[in-house]
Amino acid sequence: MQDKPLRQSRIQKKNREAILTAALREFSARGFAGTTIDQIADAAGLSKPNVLYYFQSKDAIHESLLRELLDLWLDPLRELRAEGDPQDQILAYAKRKLELSRDYPQESRLFANEVLQGAERLAPILGGELRELVDEKSALIARWIADGRIAQVDPHHLLFSIWALTQHYADFEVQVRAVLGPEHDPYVEAGVFLDLLYRRLLRPQPRE
Amino acid sequence: MQDKPLRQSRIQKKNREAILTAALREFSARGFAGTTIDQIADAAGLSKPNVLYYFQSKDAIHESLLRELLDLWLDPLRELRAEGDPQDQILAYAKRKLELSRDYPQESRLFANEVLQGAERLAPILGGELRELVDEKSALIARWIADGRIAQVDPHHLLFSIWALTQHYADFEVQVRAVLGPEHDPYVEAGVFLDLLYRRLLRPQPRE
DNA sequence: CAAATTATTGACCATCTGGTCAGGATCACG
DNA sequence: CGTGATCCTGACCAGATGGTCAATAATTTG
């Protein structure tokens, strides 16, 4: 809701950090409703009232995490540039998103949990900021297509496909690992696969 | 755990059905922990003790739903046949999965919720039955590749990609709709996009 | 229709959970 | 070192929740 004082003492910074880290782990593993403040407090090495000293409520912790998450999540798309080779740009975006799934799987699952359950808290952002960003980048992709620099595809669904394919490896990690077995490295293989997939999808077609 | 008596009275059948339908809606919308027996009871038009007369516990309802779900979820893959054109087979599989997302989004979200949160209940199936099924079908795809009938791709990740791309439209439905706006029909567009994507991905390559 | 079986419920309970609060410990700083 | 601000805690509370049970209503069946 309102911003906290900008000057944070050393100890304040440390404890807020610890709480958010703990809460991210718990929320992403068990969902918001499935997590208790006590679990967060234990994981952060604090008492429950102490956690509530730093955050007004369980909801406030959640909201704080979500706000942090959004930039991390949207930034890669912002970096999709008009300059440079279109195929390289899109391939690089897919790669960045996959790395995000690999390096921040908890964040991915927190986001998935939220969207899966209606995303009431995120709805305004999804229909506002995100939609505008997507529309902008879709227009860019459409221009590339019109110029014959990449093959014809629906730009929106191209972006959805990148989200789906990359987040799948974080969100459904247990399934992926269960099916592949321990001797595989899902993210390495996925990197190769995605590169191949988008090269073939986007390669300008000779005729139509 | 144990099977219920095979002879179910009319009324038993009706009420069990109502409970499961209500529970599916609630669980898929709010997760297991976020749903109370009272909510399920209300949605089913029964009292809480009456719900517990038909199912031993909230957990039992959940488990019952999960068991039902599994066949629905795995059947399409079982129908991937060695006979017929490989590309048609895979395209048809992707189409079936997309239809499943469209027609059973609640089931998709229930499954997603479960896997997302560690899938403890499903783990044995994921690593057992599912893994065997996937290995079998991957071998089939590998044969198609070896015979030059489709392009070279990692069979496992090809299957993952179909899961990810199709389930995304059910699991992230609010995001998809928020970004696309109301004038779009995500599933129709996705059908076209997926068809295109897998045709280009699988088309046998001229050279290597 | 009467007995036996099945279905339903209100009242109740133990536990858990988010959150409060008064008071005490610790720390920063003049 | 003293004092005000910050930090921390045990005890507590009200409401929610999963689940039980004895009693009653409805239904099936002989």
Side-chain angles (χ1 to χ4, degrees):
Chain A
M1 293 298 163
Q2 84 295 8
D3 287 319
K4 284 281 153 185
L6 295 182
R7 297 279 313 151
Q8 285 192 14
S9 71
R10 188 172 29 90
I11 188 167
Q12 223 171 87
K13 184 166 180 148
K14 192 194 65 176
N15 283 345
R16 280 178 175 275
E17 183 68 28
I19 292 169
L20 288 175
T21 302
L24 173 61
R25 187 167 59 239
E26 304 298 315
F27 284 153
S28 72
R30 268 183 298 280
F32 179 77
T35 302
T36 70
I37 301 181
D38 261 318
Q39 289 169 349
I40 297 172
D42 282 355
L46 300 172
S47 67
K48 183 168 73 163
N50 205 7
V51 167
L52 287 165
Y53 172 76
Y54 288 103
F55 290 89
Q56 289 180 0
S57 64
K58 181 177 154 184
D59 233 77
I61 303 174
H62 191 230
E63 197 173 310
S64 189
L65 280 175
L66 244 34
R67 222 200 320 268
E68 256 187 32
L69 171 62
L70 268 175
D71 279 334
L72 179 70
W73 229 234
L74 264 49
D75 268 343
L77 182 54
R78 293 203 181 92
E79 286 176 32
L80 194 74
R81 289 278 142 68
E83 310 90 56
D85 180 60
Q87 188 177 275
D88 287 349
Q89 288 290 309
I90 294 170
L91 251 44
Y93 174 52
K95 193 177 169 216
R96 278 196 298 272
K97 281 292 277 179
L98 185 63
E99 286 165 355
L100 224 51
S101 279
R102 183 194 59 197
D103 298 335
Y104 302 92
Q106 292 178 338
E107 280 83 349
S108 184
R109 286 192 278 266
L110 181 70
F111 185 77
N113 256 311
E114 194 60 19
V115 176
L116 201 52
Q117 296 179 15
E120 287 180 40
R121 211 169 318 235
L122 294 176
I125 289 142
L126 297 184
E129 194 181 350
L130 175 63
R131 183 172 178 180
E132 284 164 32
L133 181 60
V134 168
D135 281 348
E136 178 197 326
K137 297 306 181 183
S138 291
L140 172 59
I141 294 169
R143 243 175 290 135
W144 285 337
I145 293 170
D147 295 346
R149 303 179 71 189
I150 55 173
Q152 185 136 23
V153 286
D154 184 315
H156 282 100
H157 292 268
L158 172 62
L159 293 177
F160 293 160
S161 76
I162 294 173
W163 299 349
L165 288 171
T166 55
Q167 290 174 15
H168 184 79
Y169 288 94
D171 301 343
F172 287 71
E173 187 175 331
V174 285
Q175 181 178 253
V176 167
R177 291 195 187 277
V179 168
L180 285 181
E183 65 272 17
H184 290 254
D185 185 332
Y187 288 103
V188 169
E189 296 173 5
V192 174
F193 178 82
L194 290 188
D195 204 76
L196 187 77
L197 187 153
Y198 285 111
R199 277 184 202 285
R200 289 190 188 158
L201 175 64
L202 298 174
R203 175 161 45 218
Q205 302 291 301
R207 285 268 88 222
E208 193 56 49
Chain B
M1 293 300 165
Q2 85 297 9
D3 287 319
K4 284 281 154 184
L6 295 181
R7 297 280 311 153
Q8 285 191 13
S9 70
R10 192 169 28 91
I11 189 168
Q12 225 173 83
K13 184 166 180 151
K14 190 192 69 181
N15 283 347
R16 280 177 177 276
E17 183 68 29
I19 292 169
L20 289 176
T21 302
L24 173 61
R25 186 165 60 238
E26 304 299 316
F27 283 153
S28 71
R30 269 184 296 281
F32 180 77
T35 301
T36 70
I37 302 181
D38 261 319
Q39 289 169 349
I40 297 171
D42 283 355
L46 300 171
S47 67
K48 182 169 73 162
N50 205 5
V51 167
L52 288 165
Y53 171 74
Y54 288 103
F55 290 89
Q56 290 180 358
S57 65
K58 182 178 156 184
D59 232 78
I61 303 174
H62 191 231
E63 197 174 308
S64 188
L65 279 175
L66 244 35
R67 223 200 319 268
E68 256 187 31
L69 172 60
L70 269 175
D71 279 334
L72 180 70
W73 229 234
L74 264 49
D75 267 344
L77 183 54
R78 295 204 181 92
E79 286 176 31
L80 196 74
R81 289 278 141 67
E83 309 89 57
D85 180 61
Q87 187 176 275
D88 288 348
Q89 287 289 309
I90 294 171
L91 252 44
Y93 174 52
K95 194 178 168 211
R96 275 195 299 271
K97 281 292 278 177
L98 185 63
E99 286 165 353
L100 223 51
S101 279
R102 183 195 59 197
D103 298 335
Y104 302 91
Q106 292 178 338
E107 279 83 349
S108 184
R109 287 193 277 266
L110 181 69
F111 185 77
N113 256 310
E114 194 61 19
V115 176
L116 201 51
Q117 296 180 15
E120 286 180 42
R121 210 170 318 234
L122 293 176
I125 288 144
L126 297 184
E129 194 180 352
L130 175 63
R131 184 173 179 181
E132 285 164 33
L133 182 59
V134 168
D135 281 347
E136 177 197 326
K137 298 306 182 183
S138 292
L140 173 58
I141 294 169
R143 242 174 291 136
W144 285 336
I145 294 170
D147 295 347
R149 302 181 71 188
I150 55 174
Q152 187 135 22
V153 287
D154 184 315
H156 282 100
H157 292 268
L158 172 62
L159 293 177
F160 292 160
S161 77
I162 293 173
W163 298 349
L165 288 171
T166 56
Q167 289 174 14
H168 184 80
Y169 288 94
D171 301 343
F172 288 70
E173 186 176 331
V174 287
Q175 181 178 254
V176 168
R177 290 194 187 276
V179 168
L180 285 181
E183 64 273 15
H184 289 254
D185 184 331
Y187 288 103
V188 169
E189 296 174 4
V192 174
F193 178 81
L194 289 189
D195 203 77
L196 188 77
L197 187 153
Y198 285 111
R199 275 183 203 285
R200 290 189 187 157
L201 176 63
L202 298 175
R203 175 160 44 220
Q205 304 288 303
R207 285 266 90 221
E208 193 57 47

